[in-house]
Amino acid sequence: MRHAIGWFLRRFQIVRWLILVLLVVFLAFSAFFTYKAKTADVQEIKSTMQTKTTIYDQNSKVAGTLYGQKGTYVELDKIAPAMQNAVISTEDRTFYSNLGFSIKGIARSVLNLVIHRGEITGGGSTITQQLAKNTLLTQKQSYLRKAQEIFLAVQLTKVYSKKDILTMYLNNSYFGNGVWGVEDASERYFGKHAAALTVSEAATLTGMLRNPSYYNPADHMDNAVARRDLILGLMVDNNKLSQADADAAKATKLTVVDNYSQATAEKYPWFFDSVIEEARDKYNIQPDQLLNKGYRVYTTMDPTAQTQLQNSFAQDWAFPANASDGTKAQAASVVVDPKTGGVIAVVGARGQHVFLGYNYATQLQRSPGSTIKPLMVYTPALENGYSYDSILTDKKLSYGTNKYTPTNPTGQYLGSVPMYTALAQSLNAPAVWLMNKLGVDTGVQSLARFGIDLKKEDQNLAAVLGGVTTGFSPLTMARAYSAFANGGKLPETHFITKIVDATGQTVVDNTKTSSKTIMKKSVATEMTSMMIGVFKDGTGQTAAPTGYTVAGKTGSTEVPSSWGYGTRDQWVVGYTPDVVVATWTGFSTTDSTHFLEGTSTSGVASIFKLEMSNILPYTAKTQFNTTDAKARATLQTPSTDDDAADFWSGLQKGVQDGVDSAKDTVGKWYNDIRDWFD
């Protein structure tokens, strides 16, 4: 008996200690979450919902606003009572009496946790908890986040009235199709202000809170009607609607009227994304700060160029064909002012824009193909004594111990070619031959001047053809080519010129831009002369906009021959003295069923030509101070053996004709003198 009592007391001690430990842990967590709740930016929620950051274009005119997950903010008296009643009846019946959380809701969540074996399934959150989650926490489901949500909800009820909380919740809710807030949702689906919503319409919008894509009437009318009728029943159960009024609302036909015009939405999403990226990466202003703190952001955007670029990307016919499974080839373009480095237009991807999604224009790392040749090979060649018409060896040769053997795209070799032809026709063999003569280190140093750092493992002859492990973005390539358009001066590309905070203080000032000279103006001019030939009679002929002289370079990277005839990436980087445009296209993931058929002459050329044709009419139309290298060479000296043969043949014929003419003249004189003596 004594042994049994001792056993029981020991077990009781263990249980008591466990309870004590759990109590201490609970108190510690409570203290931690209370501290977190009290130090959270709860007081700022309402003001940030009402505050918008304004973006200005290069002319200091308003281009749009940044406001993240916020729509047009309206006070509670501008929201129909039917909408308020529908939301409370569905989401939180004890809203006006609870402390920010519901004991029953928590109990249901715990029960669901047991039923689903520890999986958090959501649900059980009050309106206040949902507001805390949407404005102060991440959407990731976890036990800690759920606990923190409850403490934040309690803090919210201490800071704000119930009416304020309901107002903020309705203005912060997502209603599908890119629409946030009840006011914009009312305009998007029913063509009216939130104050004018009928009971039927209010129940429909409330039903969308569960799953906006599945229950919105614009895309799934049957689902929307079924969900509406369920909400109306809940309103009856909660004594917010009579059964007769509910039946009348159910009998009402829903008609979608979209008055949510594009003018009220974001017009330049890719440029705005790039602004947010630059503010974060360059000036350490985080996206949530930029979106919610009421900044005035002045940018380099040219609204005409941006609109024209977006219009070009809307033309599916201009892009390479889809893959066999329907996957679209991706693409991106950047337009830069070479004098200032200001990005005047950008599109980061094809298809529906995703807020702060992957931006191929600024974040891409793909092989640049032959667009690297002018930067790595031909510029340093001019600086080391070569001329635009210097003769280069064009033969299939092997280099180094690994027998690296570059080949021309056509498989043909001319033996020798002038440098301007090698560049314009994008011949690989003479480019590598020339790099081998100059030394790879010379090419690496040249790239560094253009703002391109080549990794150690990529510092070899293969880099001449774009054979690199880590590639570059259109923004990087546009900046590099700006040095040619800007007379040898490399600008610093940027989207932001100035940021002013809500108090009027300038927190970023980038208005005084500068460029650094990386090559002589004469070298830049000679390079432009050779690159005009790319679009005159070289690989960029099909990309040339009618009526304009453009210089630049095409590029592509090959796929394994077993896949077929095609490329992984296609590039065109082209410029005038006014603008530099860098365009890339390719699949996000390249494999045997997802690659570009043909080369850049039949793929990226179409979109580049369309972009230039749309943008150049709105530029200053400044002319180059040089002409096509081939035309210059033809005027100065014959450039081929055939031309030389023709020249010497003509010279010989002229001399012979002169001799024959002289003989005839002398003979005539002799006969005249003889006749005189006779």
Side-chain angles (χ1 to χ4, degrees):
M1 181 71 177
R2 186 181 301 170
H3 179 73
I5 292 173
W7 179 89
F8 176 78
L9 289 175
R10 285 194 297 273
R11 294 297 182 273
F12 178 76
Q13 285 290 105
I14 292 173
V15 171
R16 190 175 68 173
W17 277 107
L18 283 174
I19 292 173
L20 184 60
V21 169
L22 289 173
L23 182 60
V24 170
V25 171
F26 173 76
L27 290 174
F29 272 106
S30 296
F32 171 74
F33 286 127
T34 300
Y35 170 77
K36 293 287 286 183
K38 287 183 177 297
T39 56
D41 227 0
V42 170
Q43 289 84 355
E44 299 295 322
I45 293 177
K46 186 174 182 180
S47 62
T48 56
M49 283 188 184
Q50 296 173 292
T51 303
K52 297 179 180 180
T53 289
T54 305
I55 306 294
Y56 297 85
D57 63 24
Q58 63 179 207
N59 300 314
S60 297
K61 293 183 178 179
V62 175
T65 53
L66 293 176
Y67 46 88
Q69 297 177 353
K70 294 184 289 186
T72 303
Y73 195 93
V74 291
E75 295 294 344
L76 197 61
D77 61 359
K78 300 297 183 182
I79 301 172
M83 185 71 198
Q84 302 174 43
N85 291 331
V87 168
I88 291 172
S89 299
T90 306
E91 301 295 321
D92 187 2
R93 292 190 182 187
T94 64
F95 172 70
Y96 278 108
S97 59
N98 65 45
L99 298 175
F101 63 92
S102 166
I103 298 297
K104 289 183 179 180
I106 294 173
R108 284 198 304 272
S109 294
V110 172
L111 181 61
N112 284 331
L113 200 65
V114 174
I115 294 173
H116 293 91
R117 300 180 181 180
E119 180 183 352
I120 300 176
T121 58
S125 294
T126 62
I127 285 174
T128 313
Q129 285 175 255
Q130 291 180 56
L131 178 64
K133 176 184 68 177
N134 292 336
T135 57
L136 298 170
L137 299 172
T138 68
Q139 298 300 309
K140 183 179 180 181
Q141 297 274 27
S142 69
Y143 301 123
L144 291 178
R145 198 226 68 189
K146 196 71 177 176
Q148 191 174 1
E149 180 185 294
I150 294 172
F151 281 84
L152 285 170
V154 173
Q155 187 66 17
L156 278 169
T157 60
K158 292 180 179 180
V159 175
Y160 296 105
S161 69
K162 288 291 186 177
K163 288 185 177 181
D164 278 339
I165 291 172
L166 182 59
T167 302
M168 289 187 288
Y169 175 78
L170 289 171
N171 279 287
N172 187 251
S173 296
Y174 183 59
F175 291 91
N177 288 306
V179 178
W180 294 85
V182 66
E183 174 67 13
D184 289 347
S186 300
E187 293 286 0
R188 170 62 182 86
Y189 296 108
F190 302 116
K192 59 178 66 175
H193 294 297
L197 288 169
T198 66
V199 172
S200 174
E201 293 163 347
T204 303
L205 292 182
T206 301
M208 293 169 60
L209 296 174
R210 173 67 61 87
N211 189 331
S213 62
Y214 187 73
Y215 291 119
N216 83 73
D219 302 316
H220 302 285
M221 179 62 77
D222 290 343
N223 298 342
V225 170
R227 182 72 178 161
R228 175 202 65 179
D229 292 350
L230 175 64
I231 303 299
L232 291 170
L234 295 175
M235 293 176 72
V236 173
D237 295 342
N238 197 35
N239 298 316
K240 297 297 183 183
L241 191 67
S242 69
Q243 186 62 56
D245 288 339
D247 291 340
K250 289 179 182 180
T252 304
K253 181 182 178 181
L254 287 177
T255 302
V256 174
V257 179
D258 184 4
N259 280 345
Y260 181 65
S261 67
Q262 188 64 28
T264 62
E266 197 174 285
K267 291 174 64 177
Y268 312 113
W270 285 112
F271 199 97
F272 287 9
D273 275 8
S274 300
V275 167
I276 296 170
E277 290 173 25
E278 186 168 275
R280 177 194 63 204
D281 300 338
K282 194 172 181 179
Y283 302 113
N284 199 32
I285 300 176
Q286 298 306 308
D288 60 330
Q289 293 176 289
L290 197 69
L291 293 170
N292 297 316
K293 297 299 183 181
Y295 289 103
R296 298 199 305 274
V297 183
Y298 296 85
T299 74
T300 56
M301 187 186 75
D302 179 339
T304 301
Q306 182 66 37
T307 299
Q308 292 300 327
L309 192 62
Q310 290 177 184
N311 290 343
S312 300
F313 266 70
Q315 309 304 315
D316 285 341
W317 60 264
F319 292 88
N322 296 348
S324 57
D325 63 0
T327 302
K328 283 185 175 182
Q330 268 303 337
S333 291
V334 173
V335 185
V336 172
D337 180 341
K339 297 179 183 64
T340 65
V343 179
I344 62 175
V346 60
V347 173
R350 293 181 69 198
Q352 185 175 4
H353 171 258
V354 177
F355 179 65
L356 288 182
Y358 189 77
N359 190 332
Y360 290 92
T362 60
Q363 299 170 356
L364 184 75
Q365 291 188 327
R366 290 289 187 93
S367 166
S370 291
T371 59
I372 203 172
K373 290 176 183 175
L375 314 173
M376 185 177 186
V377 183
Y378 295 116
T379 295
L382 292 176
E383 294 171 329
N384 281 273
Y386 286 83
S387 175
Y388 75 97
D389 58 354
S390 292
I391 301 301
L392 311 181
T393 296
D394 182 22
K395 296 179 181 178
K396 188 176 181 180
L397 302 173
S398 297
Y399 302 89
T401 56
N402 64 343
K403 301 296 181 183
Y404 174 62
T405 308
T407 57
N408 288 338
T410 61
Q412 297 178 333
Y413 305 88
L414 302 176
S416 62
V417 291
M419 190 157 70
Y420 62 81
T421 298
L423 191 159
Q425 300 300 331
S426 200
L427 301 179
N428 294 333
V432 175
W433 175 86
L434 181 57
M435 187 80 275
N436 188 58
K437 289 288 185 182
L438 295 170
V440 172
D441 287 346
T442 300
V444 172
Q445 292 168 12
S446 180
L447 285 175
R449 285 183 296 159
F450 284 100
I452 297 175
D453 293 323
L454 210 57
K455 290 186 175 180
K456 189 69 177 178
E457 59 267 31
D458 292 332
Q459 295 180 12
N460 51 59
L461 289 175
V464 172
L465 311 184
V468 294
T469 54
T470 302
F472 315 110
S473 68
L475 182 60
T476 299
M477 299 307 293
R479 182 196 180 207
Y481 274 72
S482 292
F484 298 126
N486 194 30
K489 296 180 180 180
L490 182 72
E492 189 66 46
T493 48
H494 59 284
F495 295 86
I496 297 170
T497 56
K498 185 171 65 173
I499 300 179
V500 179
D501 68 16
T503 68
Q505 180 180 354
T506 299
V507 295
V508 170
D509 188 350
N510 191 36
T511 52
K512 296 179 180 179
T513 58
S514 61
S515 301
K516 59 180 179 180
T517 300
I518 64 169
M519 68 182 116
K520 292 180 179 179
K521 186 175 182 180
S522 58
V523 173
T525 301
E526 287 289 75
M527 286 300 302
T528 293
S529 177
M530 288 195 289
M531 287 192 282
I532 289 174
V534 171
F535 294 93
K536 286 287 187 181
D537 53 16
T539 56
Q541 289 182 77
T542 55
T546 304
Y548 296 93
T549 299
V550 177
K553 187 72 182 72
T554 63
S556 59
T557 56
E558 296 179 353
V559 298
S561 57
S562 60
W563 292 6
Y565 179 57
T567 50
R568 296 175 183 270
D569 306 279
Q570 295 179 6
W571 294 79
V572 179
V573 186
Y575 62 93
T576 71
D578 302 315
V579 291
V580 180
V581 179
T583 301
W584 164 88
T585 186
F587 284 92
S588 56
T589 301
T590 305
D591 56 35
S592 59
T593 58
H594 298 84
F595 66 91
L596 304 171
E597 296 183 0
T599 63
S600 56
T601 57
S602 58
V604 69
S606 296
I607 180 60
F608 180 85
K609 180 177 182 178
L610 180 61
E611 292 167 345
M612 279 298 208
S613 299
N614 288 344
I615 292 171
L616 289 179
Y618 299 96
T619 66
K621 303 182 183 67
T622 308
Q623 299 296 310
F624 288 121
N625 59 355
T626 187
T627 56
D628 177 23
K630 182 178 180 180
R632 291 167 58 202
T634 301
L635 287 173
Q636 292 175 15
T637 183
S639 59
T640 68
D641 293 340
D642 290 338
D643 288 342
D646 291 341
F647 173 81
W648 287 110
S649 176
L651 181 61
Q652 289 173 338
K653 184 177 185 302
V655 171
Q656 186 61 49
D657 288 345
V659 171
D660 292 342
S661 176
K663 286 171 62 178
D664 291 341
T665 301
V666 171
K668 184 176 184 297
W669 288 349
Y670 173 78
N671 291 330
D672 288 343
I673 292 171
R674 189 186 61 181
D675 291 342
W676 183 74
F677 278 104
D678 290 341

